Amino acid sequence: SATSREANGGVVKLLGEQVGLTGEAVVDVSGSSGGGEALIGGDFQGKNPDIQNATDSYVGAQASISADAGDSGDGGKVIVWADQTTRYFGHISATGGARSCDGGDVEVSGKQNLLFDGTVDASAANGARGTLLLDPENLEITAGSTVGDGTVDTDNPFDDAQDPGGADSYVTEDTLEALGAALDLVLSANDDILFDAAIVSLDFAADTGSVTFTAGGSIDVDSVAITTQGGDLTFNAGTGG
């Protein structure tokens, strides 16, 4: 905990070769005049030379990370990063102040692999939405409601053998649809983004902000119908079309 009742929240860095939040672990850097900074396994896109990057990071289903603003101020900064694999099942909150200001900036990424089946709130009652970035090597949006139940063996939550079959990096359609509520969503892949052909439609929640898909390679939407209920929808593809 690095909270403040009178100022901005503080800074918490959880750094190591492998970093995991298991059980009901809580990281809280909230502050009355602005959220603080929580760095779990690294900094933004793993590019800060002064911050050690984890090889693997894990956030369990009952774990939470908060960087909320209280009465005023912007939501804080929350990063969950790993150079190889991040498994994320928990909850992040980086909301803006109740009276004014904007939501915070959140990134949940594994440079190589990302299993994302959790929730994020970067809303602002009287300001601009915050942003959530997912940024693995490749990303598949899969049909259905879950890529895992978040109850992997906490004695070794970094064991690749516990991952469900399929793509190395994925988020389900149900999880993705819920994520869009009151935040701007950026899904980025160094190589390709693929939509599961079994998905009929992707219908984002009400109050969704902008939704951006950016791939260094190709983006394959197949026949999926996408509805943002008013939010901007952007596709940026590199090579491959």
Short mmCIF file of all heavy atoms in Angstrom, two decimals, residues 190-218:
data_model
loop_
_atom_site.label_atom_id
_atom_site.label_comp_id
_atom_site.label_asym_id
_atom_site.label_seq_id
_atom_site.Cartn_x
_atom_site.Cartn_y
_atom_site.Cartn_z
N ASN A 190 2.86 -7.07 -32.30
CA ASN A 190 4.05 -6.84 -33.11
C ASN A 190 3.91 -7.51 -34.47
O ASN A 190 4.37 -6.98 -35.49
CB ASN A 190 5.29 -7.37 -32.39
CG ASN A 190 6.57 -6.98 -33.09
OD1 ASN A 190 6.83 -5.81 -33.31
ND2 ASN A 190 7.38 -7.97 -33.43
N ASP A 191 3.23 -8.68 -34.48
CA ASP A 191 3.01 -9.38 -35.74
C ASP A 191 1.54 -9.29 -36.16
O ASP A 191 1.14 -8.31 -36.73
CB ASP A 191 3.47 -10.84 -35.63
CG ASP A 191 4.98 -10.97 -35.60
OD1 ASP A 191 5.68 -10.05 -36.07
OD2 ASP A 191 5.48 -11.98 -35.08
N ASP A 192 0.71 -10.32 -35.84
CA ASP A 192 -0.63 -10.41 -36.39
C ASP A 192 -1.72 -10.38 -35.32
O ASP A 192 -1.51 -10.80 -34.18
CB ASP A 192 -0.78 -11.71 -37.19
CG ASP A 192 0.24 -11.82 -38.32
OD1 ASP A 192 0.60 -10.78 -38.89
OD2 ASP A 192 0.67 -12.95 -38.60
N ILE A 193 -2.90 -9.92 -35.72
CA ILE A 193 -4.12 -10.00 -34.91
C ILE A 193 -5.13 -10.84 -35.67
O ILE A 193 -5.40 -10.59 -36.85
CB ILE A 193 -4.70 -8.61 -34.61
CG1 ILE A 193 -3.73 -7.79 -33.75
CG2 ILE A 193 -6.05 -8.73 -33.90
CD1 ILE A 193 -4.19 -6.36 -33.48
N LEU A 194 -5.68 -11.85 -35.01
CA LEU A 194 -6.59 -12.79 -35.65
C LEU A 194 -7.89 -12.89 -34.86
O LEU A 194 -7.86 -13.07 -33.64
CB LEU A 194 -5.93 -14.18 -35.75
CG LEU A 194 -6.82 -15.33 -36.23
CD1 LEU A 194 -7.21 -15.13 -37.69
CD2 LEU A 194 -6.10 -16.66 -36.03
N PHE A 195 -9.02 -12.79 -35.55
CA PHE A 195 -10.32 -13.02 -34.95
C PHE A 195 -10.74 -14.46 -35.24
O PHE A 195 -10.68 -14.90 -36.39
CB PHE A 195 -11.38 -12.07 -35.53
CG PHE A 195 -11.25 -10.64 -35.08
CD1 PHE A 195 -10.24 -9.83 -35.56
CD2 PHE A 195 -12.15 -10.11 -34.17
CE1 PHE A 195 -10.11 -8.52 -35.16
CE2 PHE A 195 -12.04 -8.79 -33.75
CZ PHE A 195 -11.02 -7.99 -34.25
N ASP A 196 -11.18 -15.17 -34.22
CA ASP A 196 -11.66 -16.54 -34.38
C ASP A 196 -12.85 -16.56 -35.34
O ASP A 196 -13.80 -15.78 -35.18
CB ASP A 196 -12.08 -17.08 -33.01
CG ASP A 196 -12.37 -18.57 -33.01
OD1 ASP A 196 -12.69 -19.12 -34.07
OD2 ASP A 196 -12.30 -19.17 -31.92
N ALA A 197 -12.81 -17.44 -36.32
CA ALA A 197 -13.90 -17.53 -37.30
C ALA A 197 -15.22 -17.93 -36.67
O ALA A 197 -16.29 -17.73 -37.25
CB ALA A 197 -13.52 -18.51 -38.41
N ALA A 198 -15.17 -18.51 -35.46
CA ALA A 198 -16.40 -18.93 -34.77
C ALA A 198 -17.15 -17.77 -34.16
O ALA A 198 -18.31 -17.91 -33.75
CB ALA A 198 -16.07 -19.97 -33.70
N ILE A 199 -16.53 -16.59 -34.08
CA ILE A 199 -17.20 -15.42 -33.52
C ILE A 199 -18.16 -14.84 -34.57
O ILE A 199 -17.76 -14.57 -35.70
CB ILE A 199 -16.19 -14.33 -33.12
CG1 ILE A 199 -15.22 -14.86 -32.07
CG2 ILE A 199 -16.91 -13.10 -32.58
CD1 ILE A 199 -14.11 -13.90 -31.71
N VAL A 200 -19.41 -14.67 -34.18
CA VAL A 200 -20.40 -14.09 -35.08
C VAL A 200 -20.35 -12.57 -35.02
O VAL A 200 -20.33 -11.88 -36.04
CB VAL A 200 -21.82 -14.59 -34.73
CG1 VAL A 200 -22.87 -13.90 -35.61
CG2 VAL A 200 -21.89 -16.10 -34.88
N SER A 201 -20.32 -12.04 -33.80
CA SER A 201 -20.30 -10.59 -33.63
C SER A 201 -19.53 -10.21 -32.38
O SER A 201 -19.44 -10.99 -31.43
CB SER A 201 -21.72 -10.02 -33.55
OG SER A 201 -22.39 -10.52 -32.41
N LEU A 202 -18.97 -9.01 -32.41
CA LEU A 202 -18.25 -8.45 -31.27
C LEU A 202 -18.98 -7.16 -30.91
O LEU A 202 -18.88 -6.16 -31.63
CB LEU A 202 -16.80 -8.19 -31.64
CG LEU A 202 -15.81 -7.90 -30.52
CD1 LEU A 202 -15.67 -9.11 -29.60
CD2 LEU A 202 -14.45 -7.54 -31.09
N ASP A 203 -19.75 -7.18 -29.83
CA ASP A 203 -20.60 -6.06 -29.45
C ASP A 203 -20.10 -5.44 -28.15
O ASP A 203 -20.32 -5.98 -27.07
CB ASP A 203 -22.05 -6.53 -29.28
CG ASP A 203 -22.59 -7.17 -30.56
OD1 ASP A 203 -22.43 -6.56 -31.62
OD2 ASP A 203 -23.15 -8.28 -30.48
N PHE A 204 -19.44 -4.30 -28.28
CA PHE A 204 -18.85 -3.68 -27.11
C PHE A 204 -19.92 -3.07 -26.21
O PHE A 204 -21.01 -2.70 -26.67
CB PHE A 204 -17.84 -2.62 -27.53
CG PHE A 204 -16.55 -3.19 -28.03
CD1 PHE A 204 -16.36 -3.44 -29.37
CD2 PHE A 204 -15.54 -3.52 -27.14
CE1 PHE A 204 -15.18 -3.98 -29.84
CE2 PHE A 204 -14.35 -4.06 -27.59
CZ PHE A 204 -14.17 -4.30 -28.94
N ALA A 205 -19.58 -2.94 -24.93
CA ALA A 205 -20.51 -2.43 -23.94
C ALA A 205 -20.84 -0.97 -24.19
O ALA A 205 -20.12 -0.25 -24.88
CB ALA A 205 -19.93 -2.60 -22.53
N ALA A 206 -21.96 -0.53 -23.61
CA ALA A 206 -22.32 0.88 -23.67
C ALA A 206 -21.22 1.71 -23.03
O ALA A 206 -20.51 1.26 -22.13
CB ALA A 206 -23.65 1.10 -22.96
N ASP A 207 -21.08 2.96 -23.49
CA ASP A 207 -20.06 3.90 -23.01
C ASP A 207 -18.65 3.52 -23.42
O ASP A 207 -17.67 4.03 -22.87
CB ASP A 207 -20.11 4.04 -21.48
CG ASP A 207 -21.42 4.63 -21.00
OD1 ASP A 207 -21.94 5.52 -21.70
OD2 ASP A 207 -21.91 4.21 -19.95
N THR A 208 -18.54 2.59 -24.38
CA THR A 208 -17.22 2.25 -24.89
C THR A 208 -16.59 3.48 -25.55
O THR A 208 -17.25 4.24 -26.25
CB THR A 208 -17.33 1.11 -25.94
OG1 THR A 208 -17.74 -0.07 -25.28
CG2 THR A 208 -15.98 0.87 -26.62
N GLY A 209 -15.30 3.67 -25.30
CA GLY A 209 -14.58 4.75 -25.97
C GLY A 209 -14.10 4.27 -27.32
O GLY A 209 -14.74 3.48 -27.99
N SER A 210 -12.93 4.74 -27.74
CA SER A 210 -12.37 4.29 -29.01
C SER A 210 -11.81 2.88 -28.86
O SER A 210 -11.37 2.47 -27.78
CB SER A 210 -11.28 5.25 -29.47
OG SER A 210 -10.21 5.28 -28.55
N VAL A 211 -11.81 2.14 -29.97
CA VAL A 211 -11.24 0.79 -30.02
C VAL A 211 -10.27 0.75 -31.19
O VAL A 211 -10.65 1.01 -32.33
CB VAL A 211 -12.33 -0.29 -30.20
CG1 VAL A 211 -11.69 -1.67 -30.23
CG2 VAL A 211 -13.36 -0.20 -29.07
N THR A 212 -9.00 0.45 -30.92
CA THR A 212 -7.97 0.49 -31.94
C THR A 212 -7.25 -0.85 -32.01
O THR A 212 -6.79 -1.37 -30.98
CB THR A 212 -6.94 1.59 -31.65
OG1 THR A 212 -7.61 2.85 -31.57
CG2 THR A 212 -5.89 1.65 -32.74
N PHE A 213 -7.16 -1.41 -33.21
CA PHE A 213 -6.39 -2.62 -33.46
C PHE A 213 -5.18 -2.23 -34.31
O PHE A 213 -5.34 -1.70 -35.41
CB PHE A 213 -7.23 -3.65 -34.22
CG PHE A 213 -8.42 -4.17 -33.45
CD1 PHE A 213 -9.65 -3.53 -33.54
CD2 PHE A 213 -8.31 -5.28 -32.63
CE1 PHE A 213 -10.76 -4.00 -32.84
CE2 PHE A 213 -9.42 -5.76 -31.93
CZ PHE A 213 -10.63 -5.12 -32.02
N THR A 214 -3.98 -2.51 -33.81
CA THR A 214 -2.76 -2.17 -34.53
C THR A 214 -1.86 -3.38 -34.61
O THR A 214 -1.52 -3.97 -33.57
CB THR A 214 -2.01 -1.01 -33.85
OG1 THR A 214 -2.84 0.16 -33.85
CG2 THR A 214 -0.72 -0.70 -34.58
N ALA A 215 -1.47 -3.76 -35.81
CA ALA A 215 -0.61 -4.94 -36.01
C ALA A 215 0.55 -4.59 -36.91
O ALA A 215 0.38 -3.90 -37.92
CB ALA A 215 -1.41 -6.09 -36.61
N GLY A 216 1.74 -5.06 -36.55
CA GLY A 216 2.88 -4.89 -37.42
C GLY A 216 2.73 -5.71 -38.69
O GLY A 216 3.27 -5.35 -39.74
N GLY A 217 1.99 -6.82 -38.61
CA GLY A 217 1.71 -7.65 -39.75
C GLY A 217 0.29 -7.45 -40.24
O GLY A 217 -0.10 -6.34 -40.59
N SER A 218 -0.52 -8.51 -40.22
CA SER A 218 -1.87 -8.44 -40.76
C SER A 218 -2.93 -8.48 -39.66
O SER A 218 -2.66 -8.91 -38.53
CB SER A 218 -2.11 -9.61 -41.73
OG SER A 218 -2.02 -10.84 -41.04
#
